[in-house]
Amino acid sequence: MSKTILITAFFAGGMLVSSTIVSRLGDRYGHLLIMRGLGLLGGLMVASFVLLSSFEWMCAAVFVAGATLASISPVSLALQGVVTPKRALGRANAFYNAAYAAGMLLGPPISSLLFTRMGGGAMLFHLAALWGAFVLFTIVFAKDDPRARGLEAARSDDAEL
């Protein structure tokens, strides 16, 4: 059996272990704050692949990368449900899914092109830069998270729903 199949298993293991725990942390401490932490950690893990030569350390990094990537979506959707008025929730959800699908369609060809022309390191740093852009996005819109305005604001926003 090839050892590379274990990489997928560690990625999926990280996904399985993290989503519920991280979603609860988002509800408690603020969705954008938790997403910012996930983005920082995920970006560091992706960038670290360039430096890692030990298979065991790669498995650990992939586990953490899977945990961060899988957790962002439910935390993001939870925030969307909190800050989006009910009448616009369908439109917001549609936009979220369209953006996600566009990334899934455009990401692999772009990453492949970078890998082919500039090598694996450049491709991985490009992916880490995208994680960095995500973190910047969470900072720019930090005040949209009710938890950032304080627990009372979050409770009043919850009561409106």
Side-chain angles (χ1 to χ4, degrees), residues 104-149:
M104 289 183 70
L105 287 171
L106 296 174
I110 291 169
S111 292
S112 177
L113 183 67
L114 281 170
F115 185 85
T116 302
R117 293 208 176 154
M118 302 171 83
M123 182 209 50
L124 290 169
F125 286 136
H126 164 259
L127 295 175
L130 289 173
W131 281 90
F134 173 77
V135 170
L136 182 62
F137 183 83
T138 67
I139 292 168
V140 169
F141 292 99
K143 291 187 179 174
D144 287 345
D145 191 338
R147 295 278 187 241
R149 297 190 310 263

Side-chain angles (χ1 to χ4, degrees), residues 22-31 34 75 78-79 82 147:
V22 173
S23 293
R24 287 182 176 210
L25 291 172
D27 290 342
R28 174 173 243 165
Y29 298 107
H31 300 98
I34 296 301
V75 173
L79 174 63
V82 172
R147 295 278 187 241

Side-chain angles (χ1 to χ4, degrees), residues 25-111:
L25 291 172
D27 290 342
R28 174 173 243 165
Y29 298 107
H31 300 98
L32 279 173
L33 176 66
I34 296 301
M35 286 192 298
R36 185 176 313 126
L38 291 169
L40 285 169
L41 189 56
L44 288 172
M45 288 301 104
V46 170
S48 77
F49 295 159
V50 175
L51 305 172
L52 297 175
S53 58
S54 161
F55 183 74
E56 291 77 17
W57 281 109
M58 285 182 183
C59 287
V62 166
F63 181 88
V64 174
T68 59
L69 184 62
S71 299
I72 285 176
S73 187
V75 173
S76 175
L77 289 170
L79 174 63
Q80 184 175 297
V82 172
V83 299
T84 306
K86 283 185 179 183
R87 67 185 181 285
L89 194 54
R91 190 175 49 226
N93 194 8
F95 176 76
Y96 172 88
N97 284 308
Y100 193 85
M104 289 183 70
L105 287 171
L106 296 174
I110 291 169
S111 292

